[in-house]
Amino acid sequence: MVGEWTPIRFFKNIGASFVEVSEQLGTKDLIGWWSSVEAVDIDFDGDTDYVVGNLGLNYKFKASAEKPFHLYAADFDKNRSIHIVLAKYDGDRQVPVRGLECTSEQMPFISTKFTSYHDFADASVEDLIGMEIDNAIHFKATTFESIILKKDGNSFSPIALPVTCQFAPINAIVLIMDDKKQLKQLLTAGNMFGSEPETSRADASFGTLLNISNTIETLLMTQSGISLPYDVKDIKAIKIDDGIGILVVSNDDELRILTHNRDK
Ligand SMILES: [Ca+2]
Ligand SMILES: [Ca+2]
Ligand SMILES: [Ca+2]
């Protein structure tokens, strides 16, 4: 199971219920804005690996295990409306991501607390929301990289997907199999056109087609014929006559069907 602000979570079926086994499998600390997952034996060694789509490495927000990206939410001014504060690192200090103008529009008390842009620029998150930080709802992300989760023995280790797959969030992962049902190609696509006003939308992905054999080869758009610069939310492989096609759904857009050329 994957989601926003969550680890990649594994649950084991024990009769009538499930128990979480993410810690044993090594994925408890892989916390991201995950948006898609597909099971596949990517290295052809007989066990199941996973391809997992995340926010990507091309967004305004960055995250690492050492310097996670944080979110705090609480009613900081006690007027019965919840506010969100996003935080990143400046050295070892957590500082607000959003500027004085956006922040004080959402939380008017900020404009009386900080009377100049200079004061606000020097403020840490604790300066901003004070002791309330301890009681706030707190989420963090430790990675925005889209990955292959490779099974090694009894646990999983993350391996980065190629750089073209990191250009935008991956919302769709499609496995393209050959006649013997063996993996031949992998298609990833996504983007995220919705964002807060001062953040530009994630629209750098045209979709990426990868050839999977002993190595992972990224195809150029001119080789793959894939051009999906849309707000792609999901893709399914479908049957067209006796060939393979893909059905692409995107926000504010028409349904699209592409056919796969088997000979290439
Ligand atoms: Ca495998
Ligand atoms: Ca409030
Ligand atoms: Ca393996």
Side-chain angles (χ1 to χ4, degrees):
M1 193 189 84
V2 299
E4 285 186 3
W5 304 106
T6 71
I8 298 171
R9 303 177 74 189
F10 284 88
F11 294 85
K12 183 177 177 182
N13 180 240
I14 47 161
S17 62
F18 289 84
V19 287
E20 182 160 8
V21 291
S22 312
E23 189 164 4
Q24 295 93 303
L25 295 182
T27 61
K28 185 178 72 81
D29 298 322
L30 294 173
I31 305 168
W33 287 12
W34 307 107
S35 47
S36 51
V37 58
E38 272 296 329
V40 63
D41 182 8
I42 195 101
D43 52 3
F44 308 103
D45 70 348
D47 58 22
T48 303
D49 314 289
Y50 295 89
V51 183
V52 200
N54 205 344
L55 180 67
L57 301 178
N58 192 33
Y59 205 59
K60 183 166 102 175
F61 305 149
K62 309 291 176 195
S64 67
E66 299 73 37
K67 294 187 172 178
F69 185 69
H70 295 272
L71 175 149
Y72 299 94
D75 183 7
F76 297 115
D77 54 358
K78 308 270 187 246
N79 67 351
R80 298 189 180 185
S81 64
I82 301 280
H83 311 287
I84 285 172
V85 174
L86 299 172
K88 61 178 181 180
Y89 284 88
D90 173 29
D92 291 332
R93 291 189 323 156
Q94 285 183 39
V95 296
V97 169
R98 306 187 83 190
L100 176 59
E101 202 171 319
C102 307
T103 306
S104 55
E105 271 170 19
Q106 196 195 60
M107 298 186 283
F109 71 93
I110 292 295
S111 56
T112 50
K113 198 166 177 182
F114 299 93
T115 51
S116 75
Y117 283 89
H118 188 267
D119 285 351
F120 187 80
D122 281 340
S124 68
V125 167
E126 277 176 316
D127 295 335
L128 197 71
I129 51 183
M131 298 307 287
E132 288 299 316
I133 196 169
D134 295 330
N135 303 320
I137 295 165
H138 178 213
F139 292 124
K140 66 174 182 178
T142 59
T143 177
F144 287 140
E145 191 168 62
S146 289
I147 59 168
I148 292 162
L149 211 47
K150 223 174 200 181
K151 184 154 199 273
D152 299 317
N154 290 324
S155 66
F156 290 90
S157 43
I159 294 166
L161 278 169
V163 65
T164 322
C165 301
Q166 309 293 344
F167 286 177
I170 293 177
N171 298 323
I173 301 162
V174 175
L175 313 174
I176 297 162
M177 304 291 191
D178 64 16
D179 291 337
K180 292 174 195 143
K181 297 250 157 106
Q182 188 158 54
L183 178 70
K184 192 178 162 196
Q185 289 183 317
L186 196 68
L187 171 65
T188 68
N191 286 324
M192 180 172 66
F193 289 3
S195 61
E196 60 277 13
E198 79 278 14
T199 301
S200 52
R201 66 189 197 174
D203 59 0
S205 171
F206 286 76
T208 303
L209 191 64
L210 304 169
N211 274 347
I212 309 292
S213 56
N214 293 332
T215 56
I216 296 175
E217 179 201 2
T218 307
L219 297 180
L220 297 174
M221 197 192 299
T222 48
Q223 298 169 308
S224 69
I226 295 289
S227 177
L228 301 169
Y230 318 111
D231 199 5
V232 175
K233 294 303 164 205
D234 206 358
I235 300 181
K236 286 281 177 279
I238 57 172
K239 242 184 165 173
I240 298 178
D241 300 326
D242 62 341
I244 302 170
I246 56 166
L247 176 64
V248 182
V249 294
S250 325
N251 271 351
D252 272 337
D253 191 36
E254 58 203 67
L255 272 180
R256 289 166 198 277
I257 296 173
L258 280 70
T259 57
H260 187 262
N261 185 344
R262 283 177 173 227
D263 302 329
K264 285 194 177 166

